[in-house]
Amino acid sequence: MKNFDFKETFLNPIFKGNPISVLVLGICSSLAVTVELKGACVMGLSVMIVTAMSSLICSLLRNTIPNRIRIIVQLVVVALMVILVDQVLKAYAYSVSKTLSVYIGLIITNCIVMGRIEAYALGNKPFASFMDGLGNGVGYALILIIVAFFRELLGSGTLFGFDVLNRFGYVPNGLMILPPMALILLGCIIWVQRSIQKDLQEK
Amino acid sequence: MNTNSNTYTVIYSTILVVVVAAVLAFAATALKGKQEENVKVDTISQILTAAGLEYNEGDVLQVYKENIKEAILVNAEGQEVGTLNTEAIESLQVYGNSELKAQMAADQKSLPVYIFNNGVTVVPCYGAGLWGPIWGYIGVQGDLTITKATFGHKGETPGLGAKITDMPEVFADKFTGKTITAEILVAKNVTGANDVNAISGATITSTAAGVMVNQWLGFYKGYFGEAQPCCADCQECCEACCAETEQCTKDCCAAEEVAVEVSNN
C-alpha cells in the first residue's frame, strides 16, 4: 500500500464494499437496534469509534504482536474500546446507554470490527487502517440509519421521537417494529444496491 | 526480534493486560461520579413513576423535591431508624440497587420508605430475575392497596422478560388495586382478585417479580401494619377501619353482624 488512496479507502466500505449489504457482517445488531433512529445513530457512532480506534491501535501494534496470540490481542483491544465507549455513554448519555446496554457489549463480537482488523489493519499502516475502520463504521451506521428511518416512520409514525405521520391519521404498523421487518428491509437495500452495482450480481 | 518465541509472547501478553487494566481503571474512576449521579436520577424517576407523578427528563430532581413529604428508614418492625435527605437538590439521598441488595441479607434492616404529599407511600423491592437482578417500586395508598407498580431489570430477554419494564400495560399496571395485606400471586391463568397474570413467554421473570414483591412487602409488614390482627373474625368489614385506626373498635363489625342477621331473618 505505497500509494495510499485516502478517498478510496474511506469511501469504498461506505457503498461499494459496505460491511452489511455486501460483506453481510454485523446483521445481528442491525436487526436489534433499528427500531428507533436515536438508538441506531448512537449505535452507529459507537461502532464507528470502536472500529476506527481498534483498527488504529492494532495497526500500530501490528509488527509487535506475536502471531500465535494475535486474535486474543485483537479481542483485548476491541474489548477495551467497547468498555470505554460503554463507560462514556453511562456517564454522558444514560438513557441511551440503558436502551443499548446489551448491544454495546455485543460490539465486541461484531464481526465487522474483528474482520477489518484481521483483514486490513494487520497488514496496513496506522492511518490507512484508521480510515478503513472509520469507513466501515460509517457504512454500518448508514445502513442502520436507513433501516431505522423506515422502521420508526412506519412502525411508530415518528422520527427521533417526534410525531410525523400520526397527525395525519396514520395507524402505526406493528409489524415494522418486529425484527423480521428489519431483515426484509435489509433485503430490499441489498436488492437496490445490487441492481445499481451490476458487478455484485451472481450469475 | 523473534516475535514468536514463548518468552516474548508471555511478556507481551502480560504488559498488554497490565496496560489495558490501567486504562480501564482510570476511565472507571474518572467517570464514576457522573455515572452515580445518573443512576440516582434514574432511581428517583422510577420512584416518581410509582408515586404517580409526572416528570420530564430534565426536572426529575426538582419534581421529587417538591412532592416528597419525607423519606425515612424503617426496620423490620416498622420503627423509624433514620431519615434520608430530601432538603437540598444536590444531596438528595435514595437507596440504590446495591443498598437494597445489602438490606435483603442484613439482620438489622433499614428499609427506605418514600412518603409523598399526594398520600402515596413508595417502597422499593429487589430480587433475582431470569438473567440478572430485577427491581421495582410500589406505590401504596392509605387503605393498603397498590396505586402503581413499576419494574426495572438488568438484562431480561428483550421482547419477553423485558416487558416488565417496557410494556407496563401487560404486567406492571395489573398490580394496581391489589391489596398488600394478602399475598399477590403471579402465575399463569390466574383469575383471583389479588392475582396477577404472568407474561406469556416470560413465566420465570414474571413469577420472580411476584416473589420479589411479596418478599419485600413482607419486610414492610411491620411498617404498614396488618389489616387482619385488629379484628381476625371479621376481616371483610374491618379493612376500612384498620386503615384509619391502629385498634379495631369492633363497632363496625358488630353493626355488620347485626345487619347480616337481620337480612337473614
Side-chain angles (χ1 to χ4, degrees):
Chain A
M1 270 263 164
K2 270 187 185 153
N3 300 320
F4 165 56
D5 186 349
F6 163 82
K7 222 173 121 190
E8 175 63 19
T9 316
F10 179 68
L11 291 180
N12 184 50
I14 294 179
F15 188 75
K16 254 171 41 193
N18 190 289
I20 297 186
S21 65
V22 177
L23 306 179
V24 201
L25 295 175
I27 294 292
C28 166
S29 54
S30 62
L31 299 188
V33 298
T34 51
V35 176
E36 287 170 333
L37 260 178
K38 194 178 164 201
C41 288
V42 175
M43 182 73 180
L45 196 66
S46 311
V47 170
M48 241 184 268
I49 295 168
V50 172
T51 48
M53 292 313 291
S54 48
S55 278
L56 176 69
I57 294 172
C58 283
S59 178
L60 283 170
L61 296 174
R62 73 186 187 283
N63 292 328
T64 66
I65 297 175
N67 198 37
R68 276 181 295 174
I69 59 162
R70 69 174 196 285
I71 300 281
I72 300 172
V73 172
Q74 291 165 17
L75 204 63
V76 169
V77 172
V78 175
L80 169 73
M81 295 316 300
V82 170
I83 295 172
L84 283 180
V85 167
D86 189 33
Q87 294 283 330
V88 170
L89 280 182
K90 265 190 193 146
Y92 294 102
Y94 190 74
S95 59
V96 178
S97 122
K98 252 180 32 175
T99 23
L100 291 180
S101 55
V102 189
Y103 308 111
I104 292 289
L106 283 180
I107 299 178
I108 298 172
T109 58
N110 193 323
C111 323
I112 299 171
V113 188
M114 290 288 280
R116 290 326 291 175
I117 294 173
E118 182 73 8
Y120 195 93
L122 286 185
N124 287 285
K125 292 223 168 91
F127 186 65
S129 305
F130 178 80
M131 291 320 292
D132 177 74
L134 193 65
N136 275 284
V138 173
Y140 173 85
L142 185 72
I143 301 287
L144 237 62
I145 288 169
I146 296 173
V147 175
F149 174 83
F150 286 109
R151 285 184 78 190
E152 187 175 350
L153 186 69
L154 301 175
S156 318
T158 58
L159 285 177
F160 286 108
F162 295 108
D163 183 14
V164 176
L165 285 181
N166 290 337
R167 65 181 71 182
F168 304 116
Y170 176 77
V171 181
N173 183 349
L175 183 63
M176 299 299 288
I177 302 286
L178 300 174
M181 211 53 213
L183 202 60
I184 294 171
L185 277 174
L186 216 54
C188 294
I189 291 172
I190 294 176
W191 180 16
V192 169
Q193 184 174 14
R194 293 196 180 207
S195 59
I196 299 171
Q197 245 181 294
K198 302 271 189 242
D199 56 316
L200 285 175
Q201 291 175 7
E202 284 150 33
K203 297 268 151 52
Chain B
M1 194 176 3
N2 177 17
T3 58
N4 279 325
S5 75
N6 283 344
T7 331
Y8 180 82
T9 307
V10 169
I11 293 173
Y12 189 90
S13 47
T14 313
I15 293 175
L16 182 77
V17 167
V18 169
V19 169
V20 166
V23 171
L24 286 182
F26 174 75
T29 322
L31 295 171
K32 201 174 176 197
K34 192 94 182 140
Q35 291 174 353
E36 279 173 355
E37 183 67 25
N38 284 331
V39 172
K40 193 168 94 179
V41 171
D42 187 53
T43 307
I44 291 180
S45 67
Q46 290 175 61
I47 295 173
L48 289 179
T49 308
L53 295 165
E54 300 275 331
Y55 59 89
N56 295 315
E57 210 164 299
D59 62 3
V60 171
L61 298 178
Q62 190 66 36
V63 172
Y64 177 77
K65 189 184 172 296
E66 278 167 12
N67 288 286
I68 187 94
K69 194 166 158 195
E70 53 176 341
I72 55 170
L73 296 170
V74 298
N75 62 14
E77 283 74 48
Q79 286 135 355
E80 188 175 329
V81 290
T83 53
L84 294 170
N85 190 348
T86 56
E87 297 300 320
I89 281 200
E90 309 80 51
S91 52
L92 291 173
Q93 284 175 308
V94 289
Y95 264 34
N97 286 336
S98 50
E99 283 122 335
L100 295 179
K101 189 180 180 185
Q103 291 307 321
M104 288 183 74
D107 289 335
Q108 292 293 319
K109 295 190 198 316
S110 66
L111 307 156
V113 177
Y114 308 96
I115 304 160
F116 284 86
N117 288 330
N118 64 1
V120 177
T121 303
V122 175
V123 294
C125 50
Y126 181 92
L130 175 58
W131 303 119
I134 54 174
W135 57 90
Y137 290 89
I138 302 163
V140 180
Q141 62 186 21
D143 63 353
L144 301 190
T145 57
I146 295 174
T147 53
K148 192 163 172 58
T150 175
F151 295 101
H153 67 92
K154 180 103 195 281
E156 298 307 295
T157 324
L160 296 173
K163 281 184 186 169
I164 61 169
T165 309
D166 301 342
M167 298 177 75
E169 66 274 15
V170 302
F171 187 69
D173 286 354
K174 292 186 181 162
F175 281 85
T176 304
K178 309 294 179 205
T179 174
I180 64 166
T181 52
E183 191 179 347
I184 301 168
L185 176 70
V186 178
K188 243 188 263 182
N189 296 326
V190 285
T191 50
N194 222 38
D195 298 344
V196 172
N197 236 331
I199 302 169
S200 57
T203 315
I204 297 178
T205 306
S206 314
T207 43
V211 168
M212 166 180 86
V213 167
N214 286 317
Q215 184 187 10
W216 277 80
L217 288 176
F219 293 161
Y220 284 102
K221 217 165 195 169
Y223 173 74
F224 283 119
E226 289 182 71
Q228 278 98 333
C230 65
C231 180
D233 15 288
C234 56
Q235 295 165 12
E236 284 289 306
C237 77
C238 260
E239 261 179 23
C241 63
C242 288
E244 297 295 323
T245 58
E246 296 281 296
Q247 292 284 310
C248 178
T249 52
K250 288 250 180 190
D251 284 353
C252 68
C253 311
E256 194 94 352
E257 273 166 27
V258 172
V260 171
E261 273 172 29
V262 169
S263 67
N264 283 349
N265 293 338

